[in-house]
DNA sequence: TTGATAGGCAAGCCGCCACTTGCCTATGGT
DNA sequence: ACCATAGGCAAGTGGCGGCTTGCCTATCAA
């Protein structure tokens, strides 16, 4: 999605599986759906269908946390952290703990 | 709760009403349940029962985002931002965009 | 062209979560 | 003593979200 509201970002982050996907994309970019599937199964040991992951990626993408690039029959996914940086400042405005000189 | 997992924090942030409550507590500390209720109704225009807000506060408290202090028949609620600061660094670790020289 | 790979679409099931409702406890005022 | 206020507890309900299942399209290799 072009315009991702904060609601979408929080909703996307609410699910632990989606956070795992973000973890996976954080340490390796440009992964296809199948790569993400196999990695989630092997490394994190969670058994999910391909469609489940696909739907999770759709949610992450509509939140602006993931962008996808189509190439042939592959679709590569990349993490975007901008939405995160925008939402966290919401309640942290007044003071970082040692910002007062 | 003493030990709040990241899961609890994300789950607490998933609901828009709970984020409104955090907004309210961010701009005014030490509010009672009734104060929060009336403010949410008047300022933000959402009609919710007292119990709904109470349950939301319980979720926020179990996530460590809110602490409560009992005094007489009043219970004052205060925002805590530490859990937020802990969870946001999860995917922002490697680089701020121009950290590479 | 045939088959295999990578992915999409749509309907359906099920559990969780937000919210309500009703009743109960405790503190404060008079 | 009384009543009103501030809040808690517990059961019940409706809807949304995560996951599956089945079938379909598109790309590449032989």
């Amino acid at each position: 999605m072009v315009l991702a509201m904060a609601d979408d970002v929080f909703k996307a982050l609410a699910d632990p599986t989606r956070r795992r996907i973000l973890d996976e994309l954080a340490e390796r970019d440009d992964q296809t759906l199948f790569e993400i599937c196999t990695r989630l199964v092997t490394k994190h040991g969670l058994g999910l269908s391909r469609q489940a992951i696909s739907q999770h990626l759709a949610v992450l993408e509509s939140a602006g946390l993931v962008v996808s690039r189509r190439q042939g029959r592959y679709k590569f996914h990349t993490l975007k952290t901008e939405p995160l940086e925008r939402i966290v400042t919401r309640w942290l405005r007044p003071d970082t703990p040692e910002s007062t000189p």
Side-chain angles (χ1 to χ4, degrees), chain A:
Chain A
M1 274 298 178
V2 188
L3 186 63
M5 310 297 291
D7 292 359
D8 301 322
V9 181
F10 284 113
K11 230 182 52 180
L13 293 175
D15 187 85
T17 302
R18 282 194 286 268
R19 295 196 296 272
R20 288 291 192 186
I21 295 178
L22 293 184
D23 291 335
E24 196 53 55
L25 289 176
E27 71 175 42
R28 173 180 290 222
D29 254 351
D30 272 329
Q31 293 195 56
T32 69
L33 175 59
F34 264 71
E35 285 179 289
I36 298 173
C37 281
T38 54
R39 285 181 174 258
L40 286 181
V41 171
T42 60
K43 295 177 56 177
H44 304 278
L46 32 125
L48 287 176
S49 71
R50 175 179 56 87
Q51 281 76 2
I53 309 292
S54 177
Q55 288 166 7
H56 279 309
L57 284 170
V59 174
L60 291 171
E61 200 162 356
S62 75
L65 289 166
V66 164
V67 291
S68 62
R69 166 177 62 90
R70 197 86 202 235
Q71 180 175 350
R73 54 176 164 175
Y74 301 102
K75 190 180 182 188
F76 298 96
H77 301 269
T78 304
L79 174 66
K80 284 292 180 183
T81 59
E82 285 85 353
L84 292 174
E85 301 164 9
R86 281 193 284 113
I87 63 171
V88 296
T89 57
R90 178 166 174 175
W91 300 286
L92 303 179
R93 303 164 246 159
D95 49 2
T96 49
E98 45 270 321
S99 66
T100 51

